[in-house]
Amino acid sequence: MTNTGDFRRYSYSGDTSYLINSFDVSRSSAAPAYAPDTKRNLKVRENGKRKSKNQLLQEQRLGFGKIVSIAIVSVLTIAMFLGVLSTYAKKNELNHEISNLESQLAVAQSENTRINSELNSLVSMSMIDKYAVEKLGMTKIQNQQIRYIDVSQFKEEHISAVERIEQKTKK
């Protein structure tokens, strides 16, 4: 429901003077600035109790003990930090060395594979035959060169020879 008697919102909408008044800086919707109290009420109180020389020395010793403990903890903390730093440095060096050794191992394995393949090519039967014929001047065996030996006769001769030797040694 609208208020038909309220023409103000329509009458000022195009008026320039009304628009300039809306930018008035002196009147803002922001919260007022907080101005802290600059006067401090500092009071000096006198210590009514006087400490004895022994109490002062004891407090000095306690303070010195605290300083020493803080220094020790600081030195230990720095030492631990340097220890961790040195272990990381050593770990980094060892990882670098491991990677170098692994690369050397890979090179050695590839060299081994190359040499084995070269050896296999040199040891093949066709290469041996070719070397024997060309370099050594050998010929292939022929049927008339083959001799057959009767092994049973050889065994009998060998056994009889062994028996004779044993009889001579017994005498």
Side-chain angles (χ1 to χ4, degrees):
M1 179 158 144
T2 61
N3 187 354
T4 55
D6 189 16
F7 294 103
R8 287 181 292 171
R9 64 182 172 156
Y10 298 110
S11 65
Y12 295 121
S13 64
D15 190 10
T16 313
S17 62
Y18 178 73
L19 292 174
I20 290 174
N21 287 338
S22 65
F23 291 107
D24 189 12
V25 221
S26 63
R27 199 183 54 159
S28 77
S29 62
Y34 172 72
D37 187 18
T38 56
K39 284 188 174 181
R40 291 187 180 177
N41 295 329
L42 300 175
K43 296 179 182 176
V44 178
R45 290 186 234 159
E46 287 189 29
N47 191 0
K49 295 181 182 177
R50 290 197 160 225
K51 295 182 181 178
S52 69
K53 191 172 187 176
N54 289 336
Q55 288 176 335
L56 290 174
L57 286 174
Q58 186 178 7
E59 284 182 7
Q60 280 182 341
R61 287 184 191 135
L62 287 174
F64 184 72
K66 286 181 182 180
I67 290 172
V68 168
S69 64
I70 289 172
I72 288 173
V73 167
S74 300
V75 167
L76 288 176
T77 304
I78 291 171
M80 288 173 57
F81 176 73
L82 291 177
V84 167
L85 192 64
S86 68
T87 56
Y88 281 140
K90 186 67 173 177
K91 179 184 172 186
N92 191 18
E93 287 177 16
L94 291 176
N95 284 338
H96 186 67
E97 186 177 339
I98 286 171
S99 66
N100 284 341
L101 290 175
E102 285 175 347
S103 65
Q104 289 177 359
L105 177 64
V107 168
Q109 286 175 341
S110 65
E111 182 71 15
N112 186 26
T113 304
R114 183 190 65 79
I115 290 173
N116 280 336
S117 65
E118 186 178 323
L119 178 66
N120 287 338
S121 69
L122 291 176
V123 178
S124 67
M125 289 304 288
S126 62
M127 291 299 291
I128 292 172
D129 285 343
K130 184 178 176 184
Y131 183 77
V133 171
E134 291 178 2
K135 301 283 184 184
L136 301 177
M138 301 174 105
T139 59
K140 291 193 177 190
I141 193 165
Q142 297 174 357
N143 285 337
Q144 63 265 25
Q145 293 174 329
I146 299 174
R147 291 190 187 168
Y148 294 100
I149 301 173
D150 187 13
V151 178
S152 61
Q153 180 184 1
F154 175 75
K155 281 184 182 178
E156 290 175 9
E157 290 175 3
H158 182 67
I159 291 173
S160 64
V162 169
E163 288 175 355
R164 277 186 261 138
I165 292 173
E166 285 178 358
Q167 286 177 358
K168 286 182 182 179
T169 56
K170 285 184 183 179
K171 290 183 181 178

